[in-house]
């Protein structure tokens, strides 16, 4: 009886260990219900008198994030999924929307961005 118990104990541990190893080595990327949104006002269009842009990212009328930059600069934020209204200097500038889960890289940074921009803006958004 003692011999059988010794034989079965290592066998029952091996499947549990295999499951832990497989789970730890999964190639599935981590996802979150968030999106990156960025905006830049083109320095080649109608410019605000102040030369600055004050940005609000809103969802369902609620301000989720704010930022400011000189015209031609970019402002971005990591926001919840869904429709985002982007306001610049108090006026609606555009919309962004994502409903699919966002993918995180190995450093926990959210990949991808919806970038509202025009001529003269930075090639890449400040996030994503």
């Amino acid at each position: 009886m003692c011999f059988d118990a010794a034989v079965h104990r290592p066998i029952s541990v091996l499947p549990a260990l295999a499951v832990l190893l497989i789970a730890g080595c999964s190639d599935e990327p981590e996802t979150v219900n968030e999106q990156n949104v960025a905006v830049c006002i083109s320095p080649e269009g109608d410019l605000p008198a102040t030369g600055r842009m004050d940005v609000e990212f809103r969802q369902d009328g609620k301000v989720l994030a704010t930022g400011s930059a000189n015209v031609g600069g970019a402002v971005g934020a990591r926001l919840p999924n869904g429709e985002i209204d982007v306001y610049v200097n108090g006026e609606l500038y555009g919309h962004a929307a994502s409903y699919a889960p966002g993918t995180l890289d190995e450093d926990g940074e959210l990949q991808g961005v919806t970038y509202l921009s025009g001529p003269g803006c930075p090639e890449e958004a400040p996030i994503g």
Side-chain angles (χ1 to χ4, degrees), residues 30 32 34-36 78 101-114 127-128:
E30 187 177 350
V32 292
E34 295 177 327
Q35 63 183 315
N36 286 324
R78 184 170 167 171
T103 303
L104 300 179
D105 67 13
E106 60 276 352
D107 296 325
E109 295 294 322
L110 185 59
Q111 298 301 293
V113 62
T114 300
I127 59 175

Short mmCIF file of all heavy atoms in Angstrom, two decimals, residues 30 32 34-36 78 101-114 127-128:
data_model
loop_
_atom_site.label_atom_id
_atom_site.label_comp_id
_atom_site.label_asym_id
_atom_site.label_seq_id
_atom_site.Cartn_x
_atom_site.Cartn_y
_atom_site.Cartn_z
N GLU A 30 -1.81 40.30 -23.36
CA GLU A 30 -2.75 40.83 -22.37
C GLU A 30 -3.55 41.96 -23.02
O GLU A 30 -3.02 42.76 -23.78
CB GLU A 30 -1.99 41.36 -21.16
CG GLU A 30 -2.90 41.77 -20.04
CD GLU A 30 -2.14 42.22 -18.80
OE1 GLU A 30 -0.93 42.05 -18.73
OE2 GLU A 30 -2.80 42.77 -17.91
N VAL A 32 -6.86 45.02 -22.55
CA VAL A 32 -7.63 45.87 -21.66
C VAL A 32 -8.72 46.55 -22.48
O VAL A 32 -8.62 46.67 -23.70
CB VAL A 32 -6.75 46.95 -20.98
CG1 VAL A 32 -5.77 46.33 -20.00
CG2 VAL A 32 -6.01 47.79 -22.00
N GLU A 34 -9.45 49.54 -23.18
CA GLU A 34 -8.98 50.92 -23.28
C GLU A 34 -8.47 51.19 -24.68
O GLU A 34 -8.20 50.28 -25.46
CB GLU A 34 -7.87 51.18 -22.27
CG GLU A 34 -8.32 51.06 -20.83
CD GLU A 34 -7.18 51.24 -19.84
OE1 GLU A 34 -6.04 50.85 -20.13
OE2 GLU A 34 -7.46 51.78 -18.76
N GLN A 35 -8.34 52.49 -24.99
CA GLN A 35 -7.84 52.94 -26.29
C GLN A 35 -6.98 54.18 -26.09
O GLN A 35 -7.16 54.92 -25.12
CB GLN A 35 -9.01 53.25 -27.23
CG GLN A 35 -9.89 54.39 -26.73
CD GLN A 35 -11.07 54.67 -27.62
OE1 GLN A 35 -10.94 54.72 -28.84
NE2 GLN A 35 -12.25 54.87 -27.02
N ASN A 36 -6.06 54.41 -27.01
CA ASN A 36 -5.26 55.63 -27.04
C ASN A 36 -5.88 56.57 -28.07
O ASN A 36 -6.20 56.15 -29.18
CB ASN A 36 -3.82 55.33 -27.45
CG ASN A 36 -3.03 54.67 -26.34
OD1 ASN A 36 -3.20 54.96 -25.17
ND2 ASN A 36 -2.14 53.77 -26.72
N ARG A 78 -4.81 57.87 -22.65
CA ARG A 78 -5.28 56.49 -22.60
C ARG A 78 -6.67 56.53 -21.95
O ARG A 78 -6.81 56.99 -20.82
CB ARG A 78 -4.30 55.65 -21.79
CG ARG A 78 -4.63 54.19 -21.74
CD ARG A 78 -3.46 53.43 -21.12
NE ARG A 78 -3.82 52.07 -20.78
CZ ARG A 78 -2.95 51.15 -20.38
NH1 ARG A 78 -1.67 51.47 -20.26
NH2 ARG A 78 -3.35 49.94 -20.08
N PRO A 101 -10.94 45.16 -27.48
CA PRO A 101 -9.93 45.27 -26.43
C PRO A 101 -8.58 45.71 -27.00
O PRO A 101 -8.20 45.29 -28.09
CB PRO A 101 -9.84 43.85 -25.86
CG PRO A 101 -11.12 43.19 -26.26
CD PRO A 101 -11.53 43.82 -27.55
N GLY A 102 -7.89 46.58 -26.28
CA GLY A 102 -6.56 47.03 -26.68
C GLY A 102 -5.51 46.05 -26.18
O GLY A 102 -5.67 45.42 -25.14
N THR A 103 -4.43 45.93 -26.92
CA THR A 103 -3.35 45.00 -26.58
C THR A 103 -2.23 45.74 -25.87
O THR A 103 -1.80 46.81 -26.30
CB THR A 103 -2.80 44.35 -27.87
OG1 THR A 103 -3.88 43.71 -28.55
CG2 THR A 103 -1.72 43.34 -27.56
N LEU A 104 -1.73 45.14 -24.80
CA LEU A 104 -0.60 45.69 -24.05
C LEU A 104 0.69 45.04 -24.53
O LEU A 104 0.72 43.84 -24.81
CB LEU A 104 -0.76 45.44 -22.56
CG LEU A 104 -2.01 46.04 -21.89
CD1 LEU A 104 -2.03 45.68 -20.42
CD2 LEU A 104 -2.06 47.54 -22.07
N ASP A 105 1.78 45.82 -24.60
CA ASP A 105 3.07 45.23 -24.91
C ASP A 105 3.70 44.68 -23.64
O ASP A 105 3.08 44.72 -22.56
CB ASP A 105 3.99 46.24 -25.62
CG ASP A 105 4.41 47.41 -24.75
OD1 ASP A 105 4.22 47.38 -23.51
OD2 ASP A 105 4.96 48.38 -25.31
N GLU A 106 4.92 44.18 -23.75
CA GLU A 106 5.58 43.55 -22.59
C GLU A 106 5.84 44.53 -21.45
O GLU A 106 6.03 44.13 -20.31
CB GLU A 106 6.87 42.85 -23.02
CG GLU A 106 7.91 43.75 -23.65
CD GLU A 106 7.71 44.00 -25.14
OE1 GLU A 106 6.84 43.38 -25.77
OE2 GLU A 106 8.41 44.86 -25.68
N ASP A 107 5.83 45.84 -21.75
CA ASP A 107 6.03 46.86 -20.71
C ASP A 107 4.72 47.40 -20.15
O ASP A 107 4.71 48.33 -19.36
CB ASP A 107 6.86 48.02 -21.27
CG ASP A 107 8.26 47.60 -21.67
OD1 ASP A 107 8.84 46.72 -20.99
OD2 ASP A 107 8.79 48.14 -22.67
N GLY A 108 3.59 46.83 -20.60
CA GLY A 108 2.29 47.28 -20.13
C GLY A 108 1.76 48.51 -20.84
O GLY A 108 0.76 49.09 -20.44
N GLU A 109 2.43 48.91 -21.94
CA GLU A 109 1.97 50.07 -22.71
C GLU A 109 0.90 49.63 -23.70
O GLU A 109 1.04 48.61 -24.38
CB GLU A 109 3.14 50.71 -23.47
CG GLU A 109 4.20 51.31 -22.56
CD GLU A 109 3.70 52.48 -21.75
OE1 GLU A 109 2.90 53.29 -22.29
OE2 GLU A 109 4.09 52.59 -20.58
N LEU A 110 -0.15 50.40 -23.83
CA LEU A 110 -1.24 50.12 -24.75
C LEU A 110 -0.78 50.41 -26.18
O LEU A 110 -0.25 51.49 -26.45
CB LEU A 110 -2.45 50.97 -24.39
CG LEU A 110 -3.73 50.76 -25.16
CD1 LEU A 110 -4.23 49.32 -25.02
CD2 LEU A 110 -4.79 51.73 -24.67
N GLN A 111 -0.98 49.45 -27.07
CA GLN A 111 -0.54 49.58 -28.46
C GLN A 111 -1.63 50.21 -29.33
O GLN A 111 -2.81 49.99 -29.11
CB GLN A 111 -0.17 48.21 -29.01
CG GLN A 111 0.99 47.58 -28.27
CD GLN A 111 2.23 48.44 -28.34
OE1 GLN A 111 2.81 48.61 -29.41
NE2 GLN A 111 2.63 49.02 -27.23
N GLY A 112 -1.22 50.96 -30.35
CA GLY A 112 -2.15 51.57 -31.29
C GLY A 112 -2.72 52.88 -30.78
O GLY A 112 -2.71 53.16 -29.59
N VAL A 113 -3.18 53.69 -31.72
CA VAL A 113 -3.72 55.01 -31.37
C VAL A 113 -4.63 55.50 -32.49
O VAL A 113 -4.37 55.23 -33.66
CB VAL A 113 -2.58 56.02 -31.10
CG1 VAL A 113 -1.73 56.24 -32.33
CG2 VAL A 113 -3.11 57.34 -30.58
N THR A 114 -5.69 56.20 -32.12
CA THR A 114 -6.46 56.97 -33.08
C THR A 114 -5.90 58.38 -33.02
O THR A 114 -5.92 59.02 -31.95
CB THR A 114 -7.96 56.98 -32.72
OG1 THR A 114 -8.43 55.64 -32.72
CG2 THR A 114 -8.76 57.80 -33.72
N ILE A 127 1.49 58.97 -27.94
CA ILE A 127 1.23 57.72 -27.24
C ILE A 127 0.93 56.63 -28.26
O ILE A 127 0.63 56.92 -29.41
CB ILE A 127 0.06 57.84 -26.25
CG1 ILE A 127 -1.21 58.27 -26.97
CG2 ILE A 127 0.38 58.77 -25.11
CD1 ILE A 127 -2.43 58.31 -26.10
N GLY A 128 0.97 55.37 -27.79
CA GLY A 128 0.58 54.25 -28.63
C GLY A 128 1.67 53.69 -29.44
O GLY A 128 1.68 52.90 -30.24
#
